[in-house]
Amino acid sequence: MSSPCSAPAIPRPFAGGISEALITTQGGLLVAIPGMFASAVLSLRARRLRERLEESIMTLKRIVES
């Protein structure tokens, strides 16, 4: 007894879809990887700026309280 799912797979109809999926994945990675790098750099810059701002505020408070 053979099931309807045991028919041989024909790869040609899937080739276009697989090709499109690979191209889409490549495009996504080309955007995502530099985006992650930029995000890390900007986060570091924001953290440093916040630290400098906090130091400036503390200095200003000391001056005002003196």
Side-chain angles (χ1 to χ4, degrees), residues 45-61:
R45 290 182 67 186
R47 184 174 54 101
R48 288 180 180 166
L49 181 60
R50 184 177 57 240
E51 290 171 358
R52 286 179 50 203
L53 183 58
E54 288 173 356
E55 289 174 10
S56 297
I57 290 171
M58 294 305 291
T59 302
L60 184 60
K61 280 184 177 180

Side-chain angles (χ1 to χ4, degrees), residues 1-47:
M1 184 191 268
S2 100
S3 70
C5 294
S6 65
I10 303 171
R12 286 210 185 258
F14 300 109
I18 292 171
S19 174
E20 183 178 349
L22 289 172
I23 291 169
T24 303
T25 301
Q26 179 186 15
L29 289 172
L30 286 173
V31 171
I33 292 171
M36 288 179 64
F37 176 74
S39 175
V41 169
L42 291 174
S43 292
L44 179 62
R45 290 182 67 186
R47 184 174 54 101

